[in-house]
Amino acid sequence: MSVPHFPIHRDQRDNFHDLAAYDLSVDLESIEKQFDKTLLQLVDYIDMLDEPALVQAVIDLNESYQDLLQQQAQAAQCDAELDEIKKRYLQISSAATPVTIDTVRDYIDGTTQIQSLQQFYDDTHQEDFKNIRISNNSNNKRKTRGSAATYGAPLSTERLLTILPYIIDDPTCVVPDDTETEETEDDIQIEGGKIELSCPITCKPFENPMISKKCGHVFDKEGIQIYFNTPDKKKCPQGACGHELTATDFKPDQVMLLRCKINKMKRPTTTENLDTL
């Protein structure tokens, strides 16, 4: 004789609602923090690596990070599926014949039946959810490119992994729009489709690039100190910009610094070449 199954007793509904899949969020967040730490270390020492080693490191990190995003998407999908299945099962249970002294025998001998939660989950999961996919965060990102609030914002692991291959290949390249970097053709100095790696104020290569949080234009810290030598507002040094700024409107530009580090790695200075000779 098969084990009989009964509808959910009303006194047990709170316990039923508490049923949940194992929470992976803490583990996944810990792994993501390790990615952040590893990538930041790579960026800090990027000019000490040779190009093949850097390319391979980025490829390996990107593959692992995509696996993590997939795990996050699957965990979210599992949670959503379980919530929906619980909702449906509770409806079925509520509509079933109540268990009383008069009806309990019908459940025991099989005259009245109800699926177990496990059986209902297995059947519903296979049939109703086989085509459901929950997109990961990278497909649901709110488009903020061009918003002044995003200029100088910390780079996420995903953004860094997206733009690194382009910048490694060519530190002066204009990164495609869909990578959502804070640099656009209207925001930075471009000559012939290339991004200038020198400050428009000092006309020297960037040492400490700073980006305006209001307009996204980039200048070296030294140039900012020279140009904004008083607390008063001045127009942005970039021609035709028009934004009024002070020195406090600037933050370190991680992307430009990354470009300069990789450019230094790929193209050693003339002095270094002479020293080698």
Side-chain angles (χ1 to χ4, degrees), residues 160-212:
L160 269 174
L161 287 172
T162 301
I163 67 175
L164 268 172
Y166 294 99
I167 299 177
I168 292 171
D169 183 60
D170 180 3
T172 66
C173 75
V174 178
V175 180
D177 290 346
D178 56 6
T179 62
E180 295 185 37
T181 64
E182 56 204 18
E183 297 172 341
T184 70
E185 290 191 4
D186 295 330
D187 297 331
I188 53 180
Q189 190 174 14
I190 295 179
E191 182 178 338
K194 299 292 183 180
I195 292 176
E196 288 291 310
L197 303 184
S198 58
C199 174
I201 299 175
T202 65
C203 298
K204 296 189 296 186
F206 284 114
E207 292 290 339
N208 296 291
M210 307 286 287
I211 185 169
S212 165

Side-chain angles (χ1 to χ4, degrees), residues 51-69:
E51 187 170 350
L54 176 58
V55 169
Q56 189 59 51
V58 172
I59 291 173
D60 292 343
L61 277 173
N62 192 46
E63 288 178 354
S64 298
Y65 192 72
Q66 293 306 315
D67 288 341
L68 173 63
L69 292 180

Side-chain angles (χ1 to χ4, degrees), residues 23-37:
D23 186 7
L24 294 173
S25 60
V26 175
D27 296 330
L28 293 174
E29 285 175 7
S30 176
I31 295 171
E32 188 163 20
K33 288 179 180 178
Q34 289 300 316
F35 269 104
D36 293 343
K37 184 177 179 180

Side-chain angles (χ1 to χ4, degrees), residues 2-272:
S2 61
V3 177
H5 300 287
F6 302 96
I8 301 169
H9 193 278
R10 61 178 178 273
D11 293 340
Q12 295 299 317
R13 290 192 176 184
D14 287 343
N15 292 332
F16 177 78
H17 286 303
D18 289 339
L19 289 174
Y22 177 75
D23 186 7
L24 294 173
S25 60
V26 175
D27 296 330
L28 293 174
E29 285 175 7
S30 176
I31 295 171
E32 188 163 20
K33 288 179 180 178
Q34 289 300 316
F35 269 104
D36 293 343
K37 184 177 179 180
T38 301
L39 192 54
L40 287 175
Q41 289 175 339
L42 177 65
V43 170
D44 285 342
Y45 298 103
I46 205 166
D47 51 353
M48 299 176 63
L49 300 173
D50 58 44
E51 187 170 350
L54 176 58
V55 169
Q56 189 59 51
V58 172
I59 291 173
D60 292 343
L61 277 173
N62 192 46
E63 288 178 354
S64 298
Y65 192 72
Q66 293 306 315
D67 288 341
L68 173 63
L69 292 180
Q70 184 64 30
Q71 291 295 322
Q72 290 174 330
Q74 289 176 356
Q77 179 177 327
C78 181
D79 290 341
E81 289 179 3
L82 182 58
D83 286 344
E84 179 61 25
I85 288 173
K86 284 165 55 181
K87 178 181 177 182
R88 295 185 191 181
Y89 188 77
L90 187 59
Q91 291 173 342
I92 292 173
S93 180
S94 299
T97 302
V99 179
T100 65
I101 294 176
D102 297 328
T103 62
V104 67
R105 176 57 60 182
D106 293 336
Y107 278 102
I108 293 174
D109 63 21
T111 304
T112 303
Q113 295 183 346
I114 186 173
Q115 279 185 305
S116 68
L117 176 60
Q118 181 66 61
Q119 183 180 358
F120 182 74
Y121 177 86
D122 291 342
D123 292 347
T124 307
H125 182 268
Q126 292 296 323
E127 294 301 322
D128 292 2
F129 291 100
K130 60 185 178 181
N131 294 321
I132 290 180
R133 294 292 181 269
I134 295 184
S135 301
N136 61 39
N137 293 336
S138 64
N139 294 327
N140 288 315
K141 290 184 294 186
R142 183 169 59 92
K143 301 295 183 181
T144 57
R145 180 178 169 274
S147 169
T150 64
Y151 296 132
L155 286 173
S156 67
T157 296
E158 190 169 4
R159 284 186 65 198
L160 269 174
L161 287 172
T162 301
I163 67 175
L164 268 172
Y166 294 99
I167 299 177
I168 292 171
D169 183 60
D170 180 3
T172 66
C173 75
V174 178
V175 180
D177 290 346
D178 56 6
T179 62
E180 295 185 37
T181 64
E182 56 204 18
E183 297 172 341
T184 70
E185 290 191 4
D186 295 330
D187 297 331
I188 53 180
Q189 190 174 14
I190 295 179
E191 182 178 338
K194 299 292 183 180
I195 292 176
E196 288 291 310
L197 303 184
S198 58
C199 174
I201 299 175
T202 65
C203 298
K204 296 189 296 186
F206 284 114
E207 292 290 339
N208 296 291
M210 307 286 287
I211 185 169
S212 165
K213 293 178 288 184
K214 291 186 176 180
C215 61
H217 291 128
V218 184
F219 309 95
D220 201 74
K221 185 176 182 179
E222 179 186 355
I224 292 171
Q225 291 172 340
I226 294 172
Y227 186 80
F228 296 98
N229 55 1
T230 67
D232 300 328
K233 288 186 176 182
K234 292 185 178 181
K235 284 191 176 181
C236 175
Q238 189 70 44
C241 174
H243 278 84
E244 291 193 344
L245 309 171
T246 67
T248 59
D249 291 320
F250 290 84
K251 291 183 65 175
D253 186 351
Q254 293 175 290
V255 177
M256 185 61 78
L257 183 60
L258 193 58
R259 289 179 181 277
C260 295
K261 282 186 173 184
I262 295 175
N263 188 63
K264 182 178 179 182
M265 175 196 72
K266 293 170 70 77
R267 299 175 179 82
T269 62
T270 305
T271 302
E272 288 173 345

